[in-house]
mmCIF file of all heavy atoms in Angstrom:
data_model
loop_
_atom_site.group_PDB
_atom_site.id
_atom_site.type_symbol
_atom_site.label_atom_id
_atom_site.label_comp_id
_atom_site.label_asym_id
_atom_site.label_seq_id
_atom_site.Cartn_x
_atom_site.Cartn_y
_atom_site.Cartn_z
ATOM 1 N N ARG A 992 -8.102 12.339 20.247
ATOM 2 C CA ARG A 992 -7.378 11.404 21.092
ATOM 3 C C ARG A 992 -8.227 11.030 22.309
ATOM 4 O O ARG A 992 -9.011 11.821 22.789
ATOM 5 C CB ARG A 992 -6.057 12.020 21.595
ATOM 6 C CG ARG A 992 -5.088 12.349 20.472
ATOM 7 C CD ARG A 992 -3.884 13.095 21.015
ATOM 8 N NE ARG A 992 -2.961 13.417 19.946
ATOM 9 C CZ ARG A 992 -1.941 12.656 19.584
ATOM 10 N NH1 ARG A 992 -1.726 11.524 20.196
ATOM 11 N NH2 ARG A 992 -1.142 13.014 18.599
ATOM 12 N N ILE A 993 -8.045 9.833 22.796
ATOM 13 C CA ILE A 993 -8.615 9.496 24.088
ATOM 14 C C ILE A 993 -7.452 9.189 25.019
ATOM 15 O O ILE A 993 -6.362 8.875 24.567
ATOM 16 C CB ILE A 993 -9.592 8.303 24.010
ATOM 17 C CG1 ILE A 993 -8.877 7.044 23.517
ATOM 18 C CG2 ILE A 993 -10.753 8.618 23.108
ATOM 19 C CD1 ILE A 993 -9.747 5.838 23.554
ATOM 20 N N LEU A 998 -7.905 4.161 26.986
ATOM 21 C CA LEU A 998 -7.565 3.248 25.884
ATOM 22 C C LEU A 998 -7.281 1.852 26.394
ATOM 23 O O LEU A 998 -7.785 0.861 25.869
ATOM 24 C CB LEU A 998 -6.328 3.797 25.153
ATOM 25 C CG LEU A 998 -5.568 2.826 24.263
ATOM 26 C CD1 LEU A 998 -6.406 2.531 23.029
ATOM 27 C CD2 LEU A 998 -4.219 3.409 23.854
ATOM 28 N N ARG A 1179 3.353 -2.372 24.087
ATOM 29 C CA ARG A 1179 3.841 -1.157 23.434
ATOM 30 C C ARG A 1179 5.158 -1.477 22.715
ATOM 31 O O ARG A 1179 6.059 -2.087 23.291
ATOM 32 C CB ARG A 1179 4.051 -0.043 24.455
ATOM 33 C CG ARG A 1179 4.471 1.303 23.868
ATOM 34 C CD ARG A 1179 4.619 2.364 24.936
ATOM 35 N NE ARG A 1179 3.376 2.573 25.660
ATOM 36 C CZ ARG A 1179 3.160 2.243 26.923
ATOM 37 N NH1 ARG A 1179 4.131 1.673 27.623
ATOM 38 N NH2 ARG A 1179 1.993 2.467 27.500
ATOM 39 N N VAL A 1180 5.252 -1.033 21.454
ATOM 40 C CA VAL A 1180 6.455 -1.237 20.651
ATOM 41 C C VAL A 1180 7.078 0.121 20.380
ATOM 42 O O VAL A 1180 6.437 1.005 19.809
ATOM 43 C CB VAL A 1180 6.135 -1.949 19.324
ATOM 44 C CG1 VAL A 1180 7.397 -2.093 18.470
ATOM 45 C CG2 VAL A 1180 5.523 -3.325 19.591
ATOM 46 N N GLN A 1186 6.226 5.008 18.451
ATOM 47 C CA GLN A 1186 5.725 3.926 19.299
ATOM 48 C C GLN A 1186 4.246 3.685 19.020
ATOM 49 O O GLN A 1186 3.494 4.599 18.722
ATOM 50 C CB GLN A 1186 5.960 4.215 20.775
ATOM 51 C CG GLN A 1186 5.194 5.382 21.349
ATOM 52 C CD GLN A 1186 5.454 5.523 22.848
ATOM 53 O OE1 GLN A 1186 6.573 5.409 23.324
ATOM 54 N NE2 GLN A 1186 4.386 5.755 23.605
ATOM 55 N N HIS A 1187 3.878 2.401 19.085
ATOM 56 C CA HIS A 1187 2.490 1.992 18.912
ATOM 57 C C HIS A 1187 2.190 0.892 19.920
ATOM 58 O O HIS A 1187 3.081 0.141 20.331
ATOM 59 C CB HIS A 1187 2.230 1.484 17.496
ATOM 60 C CG HIS A 1187 2.361 2.548 16.438
ATOM 61 N ND1 HIS A 1187 1.545 3.653 16.396
ATOM 62 C CD2 HIS A 1187 3.225 2.677 15.398
ATOM 63 C CE1 HIS A 1187 1.881 4.416 15.369
ATOM 64 N NE2 HIS A 1187 2.905 3.858 14.753
ATOM 65 N N THR A 1188 0.920 0.814 20.285
ATOM 66 C CA THR A 1188 0.465 -0.178 21.258
ATOM 67 C C THR A 1188 -0.461 -1.163 20.564
ATOM 68 O O THR A 1188 -1.379 -0.755 19.845
ATOM 69 C CB THR A 1188 -0.275 0.514 22.422
ATOM 70 O OG1 THR A 1188 0.576 1.517 22.982
ATOM 71 C CG2 THR A 1188 -0.652 -0.492 23.493
ATOM 72 N N TYR A 1189 -0.212 -2.451 20.755
ATOM 73 C CA TYR A 1189 -0.952 -3.478 20.028
ATOM 74 C C TYR A 1189 -1.647 -4.455 20.976
ATOM 75 O O TYR A 1189 -1.080 -4.861 22.001
ATOM 76 C CB TYR A 1189 -0.002 -4.269 19.120
ATOM 77 C CG TYR A 1189 0.668 -3.409 18.084
ATOM 78 C CD1 TYR A 1189 1.992 -3.004 18.243
ATOM 79 C CD2 TYR A 1189 -0.022 -2.979 16.952
ATOM 80 C CE1 TYR A 1189 2.610 -2.194 17.295
ATOM 81 C CE2 TYR A 1189 0.586 -2.172 16.003
ATOM 82 C CZ TYR A 1189 1.897 -1.787 16.184
ATOM 83 O OH TYR A 1189 2.501 -0.978 15.253
ATOM 84 N N ARG A 1216 -9.837 -1.309 14.897
ATOM 85 C CA ARG A 1216 -9.759 -0.153 15.792
ATOM 86 C C ARG A 1216 -8.520 0.687 15.495
ATOM 87 O O ARG A 1216 -8.505 1.897 15.722
ATOM 88 C CB ARG A 1216 -9.732 -0.606 17.258
ATOM 89 C CG ARG A 1216 -10.978 -1.368 17.697
ATOM 90 C CD ARG A 1216 -10.910 -1.663 19.184
ATOM 91 N NE ARG A 1216 -11.047 -0.434 19.952
ATOM 92 C CZ ARG A 1216 -10.519 -0.266 21.165
ATOM 93 N NH1 ARG A 1216 -9.792 -1.223 21.721
ATOM 94 N NH2 ARG A 1216 -10.703 0.860 21.808
ATOM 95 N N GLY A 1217 -7.477 0.048 14.969
ATOM 96 C CA GLY A 1217 -6.255 0.757 14.624
ATOM 97 C C GLY A 1217 -6.189 1.194 13.177
ATOM 98 O O GLY A 1217 -5.200 1.798 12.751
ATOM 99 N N PRO A 1220 -10.120 4.812 12.203
ATOM 100 C CA PRO A 1220 -10.019 6.257 12.448
ATOM 101 C C PRO A 1220 -8.852 6.915 11.729
ATOM 102 O O PRO A 1220 -8.892 8.118 11.451
ATOM 103 C CB PRO A 1220 -9.860 6.352 13.967
ATOM 104 C CG PRO A 1220 -9.305 5.028 14.381
ATOM 105 C CD PRO A 1220 -9.896 4.026 13.432
ATOM 106 N N HIS A 1221 -7.827 6.133 11.400
ATOM 107 C CA HIS A 1221 -6.653 6.706 10.750
ATOM 108 C C HIS A 1221 -6.805 6.731 9.230
ATOM 109 O O HIS A 1221 -6.127 7.495 8.551
ATOM 110 C CB HIS A 1221 -5.408 5.921 11.161
ATOM 111 C CG HIS A 1221 -5.279 5.780 12.646
ATOM 112 N ND1 HIS A 1221 -5.203 6.865 13.486
ATOM 113 C CD2 HIS A 1221 -5.264 4.680 13.447
ATOM 114 C CE1 HIS A 1221 -5.132 6.448 14.742
ATOM 115 N NE2 HIS A 1221 -5.167 5.129 14.738
ATOM 116 N N TRP A 1267 -2.350 1.550 13.202
ATOM 117 C CA TRP A 1267 -1.560 2.112 14.284
ATOM 118 C C TRP A 1267 -1.906 1.487 15.630
ATOM 119 O O TRP A 1267 -1.686 2.085 16.673
ATOM 120 C CB TRP A 1267 -1.756 3.629 14.347
ATOM 121 C CG TRP A 1267 -1.078 4.350 13.220
ATOM 122 C CD1 TRP A 1267 -0.241 3.823 12.280
ATOM 123 C CD2 TRP A 1267 -1.185 5.741 12.918
ATOM 124 N NE1 TRP A 1267 0.185 4.793 11.413
ATOM 125 C CE2 TRP A 1267 -0.380 5.985 11.765
ATOM 126 C CE3 TRP A 1267 -1.879 6.809 13.484
ATOM 127 C CZ2 TRP A 1267 -0.251 7.248 11.193
ATOM 128 C CZ3 TRP A 1267 -1.746 8.067 12.901
ATOM 129 C CH2 TRP A 1267 -0.931 8.280 11.780
ATOM 130 N N GLY A 1268 -2.435 0.285 15.610
ATOM 131 C CA GLY A 1268 -2.706 -0.392 16.865
ATOM 132 C C GLY A 1268 -3.761 0.320 17.688
ATOM 133 O O GLY A 1268 -4.708 0.900 17.165
ATOM 134 N N LEU A 1269 -3.582 0.283 19.012
ATOM 135 C CA LEU A 1269 -4.588 0.824 19.927
ATOM 136 C C LEU A 1269 -4.299 2.253 20.353
ATOM 137 O O LEU A 1269 -4.953 2.771 21.266
ATOM 138 C CB LEU A 1269 -4.691 -0.075 21.165
ATOM 139 C CG LEU A 1269 -5.196 -1.503 20.894
ATOM 140 C CD1 LEU A 1269 -5.175 -2.326 22.169
ATOM 141 C CD2 LEU A 1269 -6.593 -1.472 20.297
ATOM 142 N N ASP A 1270 -3.334 2.897 19.702
ATOM 143 C CA ASP A 1270 -3.071 4.300 20.003
ATOM 144 C C ASP A 1270 -4.094 5.175 19.289
ATOM 145 O O ASP A 1270 -4.368 5.002 18.109
ATOM 146 C CB ASP A 1270 -1.660 4.684 19.539
ATOM 147 C CG ASP A 1270 -0.590 3.908 20.263
ATOM 148 O OD1 ASP A 1270 -0.463 4.077 21.486
ATOM 149 O OD2 ASP A 1270 0.110 3.101 19.605
ATOM 150 N N ASN A 1271 -4.608 6.138 19.997
ATOM 151 C CA ASN A 1271 -5.524 7.124 19.417
ATOM 152 C C ASN A 1271 -6.753 6.482 18.776
ATOM 153 O O ASN A 1271 -7.186 6.879 17.697
ATOM 154 C CB ASN A 1271 -4.793 7.995 18.388
ATOM 155 C CG ASN A 1271 -3.629 8.739 19.019
ATOM 156 O OD1 ASN A 1271 -3.721 9.190 20.158
ATOM 157 N ND2 ASN A 1271 -2.534 8.844 18.295
ATOM 158 N N THR A 1272 -7.282 5.450 19.412
ATOM 159 C CA THR A 1272 -8.572 4.941 18.964
ATOM 160 C C THR A 1272 -9.631 6.005 19.230
ATOM 161 O O THR A 1272 -9.445 6.914 20.036
ATOM 162 C CB THR A 1272 -8.938 3.635 19.683
ATOM 163 O OG1 THR A 1272 -8.981 3.876 21.093
ATOM 164 C CG2 THR A 1272 -7.938 2.540 19.372
ATOM 165 N N VAL A 1273 -10.735 5.890 18.527
ATOM 166 C CA VAL A 1273 -11.772 6.926 18.566
ATOM 167 C C VAL A 1273 -13.107 6.264 18.873
ATOM 168 O O VAL A 1273 -13.462 5.247 18.252
ATOM 169 C CB VAL A 1273 -11.830 7.685 17.222
ATOM 170 C CG1 VAL A 1273 -12.983 8.667 17.200
ATOM 171 C CG2 VAL A 1273 -10.505 8.403 16.965
#
Side-chain angles (χ1 to χ4, degrees):
R992 297 173 180 267
I993 61 174
L998 162 71
R1179 184 178 301 111
V1180 177
Q1186 66 177 43
H1187 294 297
T1188 305
Y1189 299 103
R1216 298 185 69 208
H1221 308 301
W1267 288 353
L1269 296 176
D1270 297 295
N1271 300 322
T1272 59
V1273 175

